Amino acid sequence: MLSRQDRLIYIVVISGVFEVLLTGCGSPALKAAATQEGLASFYGKEFDGRKTSSGEIFHKDDLTAAHRSYPFGTVLRVTNLKNGDQVKVRVNDRGPGKPERISDLSYGAAKVIGLDRMGLVRVRLEVIDWGK
């Protein structure tokens, strides 16, 4: 059993490791966390004007996205792997609700990459700037 002091030291060290990862040490682990591939969908008018998980009001034509774990404010480059089209979005919501998907895009972002016509498409998410 660790003493209270040892547990505190352990917490500080672990916190420091995560801080380094999130602020950009260039490690392979960070690069892996900063890139994901999988299915994405979109949401639009049915949520227009409602609050997102970040507290912002959702506007279907904004270039935003929902992600399960990336911090709010994180800027992502989303690439449609079927046609190569790209869009930059900002994470302002949590989701998607379906476990087989990695992100839900706003209608505005979906339109830029042609997802609005496909409904569901394989994408690559790349972190451009980590949110707070």
Side-chain angles (χ1 to χ4, degrees):
M1 181 69 129
L2 294 175
S3 70
R4 183 176 177 352
Q5 184 177 2
D6 288 340
R7 284 192 308 253
L8 289 174
I9 291 170
Y10 180 77
I11 290 169
V12 169
V13 169
I14 294 299
S15 298
V17 169
F18 282 109
E19 180 69 23
V20 168
L21 286 176
L22 292 176
T23 56
C25 66
S27 74
L30 178 61
K31 287 183 176 134
T35 303
Q36 292 184 329
E37 288 189 9
L39 291 175
S41 56
F42 71 94
Y43 58 124
K45 65 181 179 180
E46 67 275 14
F47 294 98
D48 205 34
R50 293 188 185 179
K51 271 190 180 180
T52 63
S53 297
S54 68
E56 287 182 36
I57 301 299
F58 176 74
H59 299 287
K60 69 179 179 65
D61 296 318
D62 288 352
L63 301 180
T64 58
H67 192 275
R68 285 185 190 88
S69 59
Y70 287 160
F72 294 133
T74 297
V75 178
L76 305 172
R77 178 184 301 112
V78 181
T79 304
N80 177 334
L81 295 177
K82 189 167 185 171
N83 64 18
D85 289 347
Q86 298 181 339
V87 65
K88 286 183 185 177
V89 299
R90 185 176 45 81
V91 175
N92 74 338
D93 205 0
R94 290 291 173 235
K98 300 206 174 191
E100 66 274 9
R101 299 179 189 172
I102 62 170
S103 186
D104 279 335
L105 304 181
S106 64
Y107 174 77
K111 196 170 174 182
V112 172
I113 63 170
L115 173 57
D116 63 319
R117 295 183 305 279
M118 299 174 191
L120 194 63
V121 73
R122 199 160 164 72
V123 297
R124 178 182 306 114
L125 306 179
E126 299 168 274
V127 174
I128 295 171
D129 187 33
W130 289 101
K132 302 295 179 220

